[in-house]
Amino acid sequence: MTLKFLGIIPDTPGNNSPTIWLEEETGDLVIQSYTADSATVQEAQRVGSIPGHGTDIPPHESMIRLPAVMRQFLLGPGESA
């Protein structure tokens, strides 16, 4: 696996700041960020996604909250890092 650093939250105070990487072989994004609080999880479960899809978070997944300022590091359609 080869990760390419894309960005960290601007004006980071030190450790434990949201960070984003690109896994070069697969194109996957790897994100370190804040764990979504229970109110966010409950709202996402209330809203749902597609009909018939469960709203529980499986043990092998996590819901994170990525600060809006980090959107600058996400790739848009047709973009590559």
Side-chain angles (χ1 to χ4, degrees):
M1 171 187 350
T2 303
L3 294 179
K4 176 182 178 182
F5 171 78
L6 295 181
I8 192 167
I9 197 166
D11 302 321
T12 182
N15 296 328
N16 305 318
S17 296
T19 308
I20 190 166
W21 299 266
L22 172 71
E23 205 278 287
E24 295 187 305
E25 286 79 22
T26 64
D28 291 349
L29 294 175
V30 177
I31 300 172
Q32 170 191 330
S33 194
Y34 307 111
T35 302
D37 62 17
S38 61
T40 302
V41 172
Q42 289 172 354
E43 179 62 5
Q45 290 172 325
R46 185 190 70 75
V47 171
S49 57
I50 60 173
H53 191 273
T55 58
D56 290 335
I57 300 171
H60 64 279
E61 294 182 8
S62 299
M63 183 179 287
I64 63 167
R65 178 179 290 272
L66 190 67
V69 69
M70 296 294 291
R71 291 174 55 188
Q72 65 184 310
F73 302 117
L74 297 176
L75 304 174
E79 291 181 319
S80 61

